[in-house]
Amino acid sequence: MLKRKVVKYLTDWKKRQGHKPLVIDGARQVGKTRSVIEFGKNNYKNLVVINFILAPKFKTIFDDGFEVDSIIKNISLLEPEWHFEPGSTLIFFDELQDCPNCATSLKSFHIDGRYDVICSGSLMGMHYKEIDSNAVGYKEDYTMYSMDFEEYLWAFGYGEDVIESLLDKMVAVTPLSATEMSVFASKYRDYMIVGGMPEIVNKFVESGNFSGVLPAQRQLLLDYEQDITKYAAPLDKSKILSVYRHIPVFLAKDNKKFQITKISRNARSRDFVGVVDWLRDAGIVNICYCLDRPELPLAGNYKYDNYKMYYHDNGLLIASLDDEAQDDLRVNRNFNTYKGAVFENAIGEALVKQGYKLYFYRNEKSTVEMDFFVRTAANLVPVEVKASNGASPSMRRLVDNDTYPDVKYGVKFCVSNIGFDGKIYTFPHFLAFLLRRFLERTAALS
């Protein structure tokens, strides 16, 4: 069983007095079901698991209304051997998107309070089916992602002490040893190829090689396309699929900006309204919007029609590349012409998994270009991604120019050790998963 961060969240949720029913959403196969079942087995006397896709008969349990006693009675009629003991029972409703009525029942479960309830489902279905009531105010929401690099390191036996040591060195601006640089850089390059989908990570950990990884990744890409055809509105399916399939095409370009008008000869932006939002809300892509200006606040300070689009998991970007690139990637770990896209996608993914929304900046003359921006309580922090360790003229203009008063310093992820020149922090790519903790720690020390 792979260790996942969601388990700590679930443990804290259970301890909270009067906790509400919990809805865990996320893209297909990020590990939602397995994590909840494992948590339920370890923390409750009774675990009731209802999957509305595998066992559609349970969709009828709400036919007599949404009172808890009525629901429990109908479940017991279908499965008389299940036990419902107040205070020690977890009811897990899986594949929520296939039973919208279940969401309506969460208010009743919260008011009743006898049983803990967790729901899980695919974002792709949950956001685009009508639900009579989504129990606003009576539920708690949590979005789960594929494994980040920290969880990936856990899978190889690295403990919390190792992670804390890396963070300490970032805060103290202490260079890593040659051994640390070599080991973690190697692990990270494997992680960028394998990605963080748990079944695929588990396959790689057990075998120690890439055998079977690519077919599993490509099957997942096909599964996503099948889900699009299942859940998208009929008139939008072909448009959504067309946009989704063109993501690697635009990531391979220098500026990586996604342009609807270039995905087919007669494509017009107004005909694709809502398509990008659909993919974002489905959880299978991360959207990075161009800022009007590099300044705070970030909310509302961006161009809705100027964006870059990334895969939510870097392994799926790798799997989407042509066959000629695959052997080079896995045998030589050479990202070739896609290396800029691969590193940028990976860092963007790491930021999203830390709770950041994605923003970039490019002025009209292209004299200032920045891959990402995050913020602290007081500052706007530019984040640059370099596939190697080139110069940073745009970063220098941002941190040295009084025109950008919200920018005091920047962060660059590249092929380099930990360093700081007074304005720009330099970190190796594999430390990106610690950025939020680094910024919080340094803010507390200042």
Side-chain angles (χ1 to χ4, degrees), residues 68-283:
V68 172
D69 285 335
S70 174
I71 296 170
I72 299 301
K73 175 184 176 182
N74 286 336
I75 295 175
S76 299
L77 286 172
L78 294 170
E79 288 290 345
E81 295 184 358
W82 286 352
H83 299 286
F84 295 86
E85 187 176 333
S88 60
T89 300
L90 173 64
I91 304 173
F92 176 33
F93 295 115
D94 201 7
E95 304 294 359
L96 175 64
Q97 75 279 356
D98 269 52
C99 186
N101 277 337
C102 183
T104 308
S105 73
L106 299 185
K107 178 178 179 179
S108 298
F109 276 106
H110 177 59
I111 293 173
D112 181 272
R114 286 176 290 168
Y115 310 104
D116 284 356
V117 175
I118 296 178
C119 299
S120 176
S122 165
L123 277 166
M124 199 175 291
M126 290 172 68
H127 282 238
Y128 293 95
K129 280 192 171 184
E130 283 194 21
I131 295 178
D132 293 334
S133 168
N134 62 4
V136 173
Y138 295 94
K139 66 179 176 64
E140 187 173 326
D141 295 286
Y142 179 89
T143 298
M144 189 171 173
Y145 302 99
S146 63
M147 297 170 68
D148 67 7
F149 188 53
E150 182 172 13
E151 292 171 307
Y152 181 84
L153 289 176
W154 291 345
F156 284 91
Y158 293 95
E160 302 285 352
D161 56 331
V162 175
I163 307 301
E164 192 63 26
S165 174
L166 292 174
L167 179 59
D168 288 343
K169 289 189 175 184
M170 291 175 72
V171 174
V173 196
T174 301
L176 301 173
S177 69
T179 300
E180 287 173 320
M181 285 292 293
S182 175
V183 168
F184 290 118
S186 177
K187 289 292 184 188
Y188 190 69
R189 291 183 78 84
D190 286 345
Y191 171 70
M192 287 197 295
I193 295 172
V194 173
M197 305 303 283
E199 290 294 336
I200 298 172
V201 170
N202 196 55
K203 183 187 297 289
F204 182 70
V205 171
E206 289 182 349
S207 69
N209 58 59
F210 294 105
S211 176
V213 168
L214 180 59
Q217 290 171 325
R218 286 188 165 169
Q219 181 58 52
L220 188 51
L221 289 173
L222 291 175
D223 290 343
Y224 283 159
E225 292 196 3
Q226 291 173 1
D227 279 352
I228 289 172
T229 61
K230 178 179 180 180
Y231 292 114
L235 294 177
D236 292 336
K237 291 178 182 179
S238 62
K239 297 175 184 176
I240 294 172
L241 285 172
S242 181
V243 169
Y244 182 62
R245 291 167 179 168
H246 276 81
I247 295 173
V249 175
F250 289 96
L251 286 180
K253 299 181 182 298
D254 287 339
N255 66 13
K256 301 178 180 60
K257 176 183 175 181
F258 199 96
Q259 295 174 280
I260 292 292
T261 55
K262 293 185 178 181
I263 65 175
S264 64
R265 180 177 297 179
N266 298 316
R268 297 176 298 182
S269 295
R270 66 174 178 268
D271 295 330
F272 284 76
V273 171
V275 167
V276 174
D277 292 340
W278 196 98
L279 288 167
R280 179 200 62 205
D281 292 343

Side-chain angles (χ1 to χ4, degrees), residues 37-50:
I37 290 176
E38 190 70 18
F39 169 75
K41 288 179 178 178
N42 293 332
N43 290 276
Y44 292 86
K45 181 179 178 181
N46 304 300
L47 172 63
V48 174
V49 180
I50 295 175

Side-chain angles (χ1 to χ4, degrees), residues 268-410:
R268 297 176 298 182
S269 295
R270 66 174 178 268
D271 295 330
F272 284 76
V273 171
V275 167
V276 174
D277 292 340
W278 196 98
L279 288 167
R280 179 200 62 205
D281 292 343
I284 59 176
V285 301
N286 295 323
I287 307 298
C288 183
Y289 291 101
C290 184
L291 293 173
D292 283 321
R293 278 187 57 78
E295 62 186 25
L296 297 173
L298 293 175
N301 177 30
Y302 64 89
K303 304 170 184 176
Y304 183 78
D305 59 350
N306 189 346
Y307 54 87
K308 295 183 286 187
M309 195 181 307
Y310 302 104
Y311 282 92
H312 80 94
D313 184 87
N314 206 70
L316 300 184
L317 166 61
I318 296 297
S320 73
L321 303 181
D322 53 62
D323 290 336
E324 289 75 18
Q326 297 300 331
D327 288 341
D328 200 20
L329 283 166
R330 286 164 172 76
V331 176
N332 302 318
R333 298 192 201 176
N334 178 18
F335 297 113
N336 208 339
T337 57
Y338 285 96
K339 64 183 179 181
V342 171
F343 281 103
E344 201 171 305
N345 195 99
I347 300 301
E349 176 191 341
L351 297 180
V352 169
K353 289 176 177 178
Q354 293 171 76
Y356 291 114
K357 294 182 179 180
L358 300 184
Y359 302 98
F360 74 102
Y361 180 72
R362 177 192 293 264
N363 63 7
E364 292 182 0
K365 297 181 180 180
S366 297
T367 55
V368 178
E369 304 177 39
M370 189 51 52
D371 299 312
F372 301 108
F373 285 88
V374 299
R375 69 161 300 171
T376 64
N379 299 312
L380 181 65
V381 182
V383 177
E384 187 170 26
V385 182
K386 292 286 189 181
S388 54
N389 190 22
S392 304
S394 288
M395 178 76 82
R396 187 59 61 187
R397 291 188 184 98
L398 286 167
V399 299
D400 288 342
N401 198 327
D402 292 338
T403 305
Y404 311 108
D406 293 328
V407 178
K408 306 299 183 185
Y409 59 91

Side-chain angles (χ1 to χ4, degrees), residues 46-69:
N46 304 300
L47 172 63
V48 174
V49 180
I50 295 175
N51 185 306
F52 291 115
I53 289 182
L54 298 180
K57 65 181 181 179
F58 286 102
K59 294 179 183 180
T60 64
I61 63 178
F62 308 105
D63 287 353
D64 297 325
F66 298 101
E67 291 298 321
V68 172
D69 285 335

